[in-house]
Amino acid sequence: MLLTTGQAADELGCAVTTFRRLVHANVLPGLGSRGNRVMVPWDVVQQLRDRPAAPLQRLKAREVAVLRVNVAQPVQEPARQWIGFSAALGPDDLLKALQGWWRCDPESVAAGGVLPVTLSGYVVAVLTQVQTWERNRGRYRFPDAVLAGYVTDLAGPVTHFTDTEPDDRAAAELLLGTRLTSHSGGAIAYVPAGSTAG
């Protein structure tokens, strides 16, 4: 059975524009078309609907910053060609697209130790080693960040790990493909995590 993007969004309890970001980011398999409508397999929608919440309680930080991105868009900047997320980007381009420049509290980002990247409420990439930053006009970039892993198929999910450091990989394995709800007026949100240690 195939659903329209509107029907899929209804099943997931989100706006159709939110769901279409997943379509445009190339993370949904088996898409078809009926006229000019994108059609989504029912089993893909079920997989997304049943995806577990990110187990943030297993992280070592009290609070974790979450980078909420849009579908990758081309930019004309010296250090990168894209900003945002798309499964069509290679890991080098993807890392550059996610490193900054964001309005945020860089100390809070660094304290969390990990920066999950969400698209439409799903973790599609994980950045680690975000302890250093650069500032430019109130925005911050994390030049030493590492892309620990990313998703190319959210329904599977199919994940790729690009960092061999055990803690970084463990964080990526824990978070990739999960649901992570966050609320913010900007790109970076802050959500409570697991540790209560002082």
Side-chain angles (χ1 to χ4, degrees):
M1 184 169 80
L2 296 174
L3 303 182
T4 65
T5 54
Q7 290 169 328
D10 286 344
E11 286 291 330
L12 296 173
C14 67
V16 68
T17 52
T18 301
F19 182 78
R20 284 181 182 150
R21 289 189 196 113
L22 300 175
V23 172
H24 297 308
N26 300 304
V27 293
L28 301 181
L31 299 180
S33 60
R34 188 176 295 156
N36 61 354
R37 288 182 166 188
V38 173
M39 304 301 291
V40 187
W42 168 241
D43 64 316
V44 168
V45 176
Q46 282 183 306
Q47 289 287 342
L48 296 179
R49 186 190 62 201
D50 297 340
R51 192 54 39 90
L56 298 181
Q57 72 277 6
R58 291 174 54 189
L59 297 176
K60 296 175 184 176
R62 285 184 175 185
E63 180 182 74
V64 173
V66 177
L67 174 57
R68 301 148 39 92
V69 296
N70 209 329
V71 178
Q73 301 292 325
V75 292
Q76 295 186 351
E77 296 180 10
R80 63 179 173 181
Q81 297 178 312
W82 301 91
I83 185 171
F85 180 88
S86 172
L89 296 180
D92 290 340
D93 282 334
L94 193 52
L95 174 60
K96 291 173 186 173
L98 300 174
Q99 281 178 305
W101 297 88
W102 315 113
R103 291 193 185 279
C104 65
D105 175 356
E107 292 182 5
S108 293
V109 174
V114 62
L115 183 60
V117 179
T118 62
L119 179 70
S120 299
Y122 295 91
V123 180
V124 292
V126 173
L127 299 182
T128 56
Q129 300 180 35
V130 289
Q131 281 72 36
T132 59
W133 57 85
E134 299 171 350
R135 182 178 185 211
N136 185 7
R137 297 180 183 177
R139 295 177 185 267
Y140 296 87
R141 176 177 177 268
F142 298 87
D144 298 326
V146 170
L147 179 65
Y150 62 100
V151 170
T152 53
D153 171 347
L154 193 53
V158 176
T159 54
H160 302 270
F161 301 100
T162 49
D163 184 2
T164 56
E165 209 286 320
D167 287 347
D168 292 355
R169 184 179 172 117
E173 288 177 342
L174 183 70
L175 298 172
L176 285 173
T178 61
R179 276 186 185 261
L180 204 174
T181 302
S182 59
H183 304 283
S184 173
I188 301 278
Y190 304 92
V191 295
S195 175
T196 56

